[in-house]
Amino acid sequence: MEKIQVEKPSSIIIRKLKEMIEVGVLKPNDTLPPERKLSEQFGVGRSHVREALKKMEFFGLLKTQPQSGTVVVGLGAKALEGLITNILEIDNNDFFSLIETRILLEVKIAGLAAQRREDADLEFVEKALEEYERAVLNNTDDISEKDFMFHLSLSRCSKNSTLKSLLMTITPDILNHFERERVCSKESRLEAVNEHRALFNAIKDGNEFKAQKIMEGHLNPILESAKKKYNSIY
């Protein structure tokens, strides 16, 4: 039996804003109501509104102007509708494609991190690594968050803010899936601790090739699992 896909609140808000543009309630260069008003209007928490607006701003549909608030970009209504449709398709994309994209990003980040890391970056990464190790050993509720923070710390070493932004855009959906499907076992998390430590050492040593291979090996089992689960053609 096929699982029912429940649409996320942020996707619903994006869809509602798309409808407002389609009927002319919102036009290019119009200023959006404050978060509080949108929260009341859509009947959702402000955090969901913030997530939707952040995603739309990342993809260039909104921009924040000092003293003016959040403004619809000056594109034609048809162009905006098409872009929003594409965002919704990305937002509801399959788990396999998210993992595949994450691997492409993170392998590149690992290589750049080994090339460009500085002492202050390594201290930051090591702290994130130790916090993840403690979370796993103590089996705390924030293991997935600590895992993400470690991976995000590597993007600081890469000195590429765009790669970091892309990682931040897709990874929360992956982590939510992990939590729903209970993808990670205790054993796999203990193994991940060792892989994280090996990855840190490769970056510290400036070994670009080794860092990339460790990252690829670290994430590939999740990709293989997703292939089987979703009967991917790839």
Side-chain angles (χ1 to χ4, degrees):
M1 183 178 294
E2 187 177 349
K3 288 186 177 180
I4 297 174
Q5 297 294 322
V6 179
E7 194 170 25
K8 297 191 303 181
S10 60
S11 295
I12 295 172
I13 295 166
I14 293 171
R15 195 179 299 282
K16 292 290 186 184
L17 291 172
K18 177 177 182 288
E19 291 171 2
M20 292 169 72
I21 290 170
E22 287 173 342
V23 299
V25 174
L26 278 178
K27 298 181 178 65
N29 300 314
D30 280 356
T31 301
L32 292 183
E35 279 183 13
R36 178 179 56 80
K37 292 261 189 185
L38 289 172
S39 174
E40 293 171 357
Q41 183 175 345
F42 297 137
V44 298
R46 290 179 67 173
S47 62
H48 297 305
V49 173
R50 197 172 300 117
E51 180 185 349
L53 298 185
K54 184 177 179 182
K55 187 163 291 190
M56 292 180 73
E57 185 168 7
F58 176 81
F59 283 97
L61 298 170
L62 303 174
K63 58 184 176 182
T64 302
Q65 296 182 338
Q67 300 174 342
S68 298
T70 304
V71 178
V72 180
V73 295
L75 297 173
K78 288 296 180 186
L80 284 172
E81 289 170 26
L83 284 169
I84 292 172
T85 299
N86 289 337
I87 291 176
L88 289 168
E89 288 174 356
I90 291 171
D91 207 35
N92 297 312
N93 215 342
D94 63 274
F95 184 58
F96 173 81
S97 66
L98 286 172
I99 289 293
E100 189 174 46
T101 303
R102 181 185 175 187
I103 290 175
L104 291 171
L105 292 174
E106 294 228 47
V107 168
K108 185 63 177 179
I109 286 171
L112 291 176
Q115 288 180 36
R116 301 174 179 176
R117 81 279 183 272
E118 298 175 352
D119 288 344
D121 301 324
L122 292 173
E123 291 175 11
F124 187 78
V125 174
E126 189 165 29
K127 182 180 177 182
L129 173 60
E130 290 170 351
E131 288 182 359
Y132 174 67
E133 290 175 343
R134 279 195 295 272
V136 170
L137 293 174
N138 296 321
N139 197 29
T140 58
D141 293 335
D142 59 351
I143 293 175
S144 293
E145 180 184 339
K146 296 300 183 185
D147 185 14
F148 177 44
M149 293 310 296
F150 169 74
H151 282 266
L152 196 59
S153 72
L154 301 182
S155 63
R156 169 174 170 160
C157 298
S158 76
K159 303 293 192 285
N160 188 310
S161 59
T162 301
L163 285 175
K164 179 180 179 181
S165 295
L166 288 168
L167 190 62
M168 291 179 70
T169 299
I170 67 168
T171 302
D173 285 339
I174 295 172
L175 295 180
N176 288 336
H177 182 95
F178 283 178
E179 294 299 323
R180 288 196 307 269
E181 301 292 331
R182 301 185 183 277
V183 172
C184 297
S185 65
K186 184 177 180 180
E187 291 75 19
S188 66
R189 281 170 167 160
L190 288 171
E191 186 178 351
V193 167
N194 296 328
E195 291 170 351
H196 282 190
R197 177 61 65 176
L199 182 57
F200 170 74
N201 289 333
I203 290 171
K204 184 178 181 180
D205 293 340
N207 193 326
E208 177 184 356
F209 177 77
K210 188 175 181 180
Q212 289 182 320
K213 293 305 290 183
I214 292 172
M215 180 65 84
E216 190 172 11
H218 177 55
L219 295 176
N220 263 336
I222 305 172
L223 183 68
E224 292 303 317
S225 175
K227 279 183 184 178
K228 295 175 184 177
K229 185 176 180 62
Y230 294 96
N231 298 314
S232 172
I233 62 173
Y234 299 103

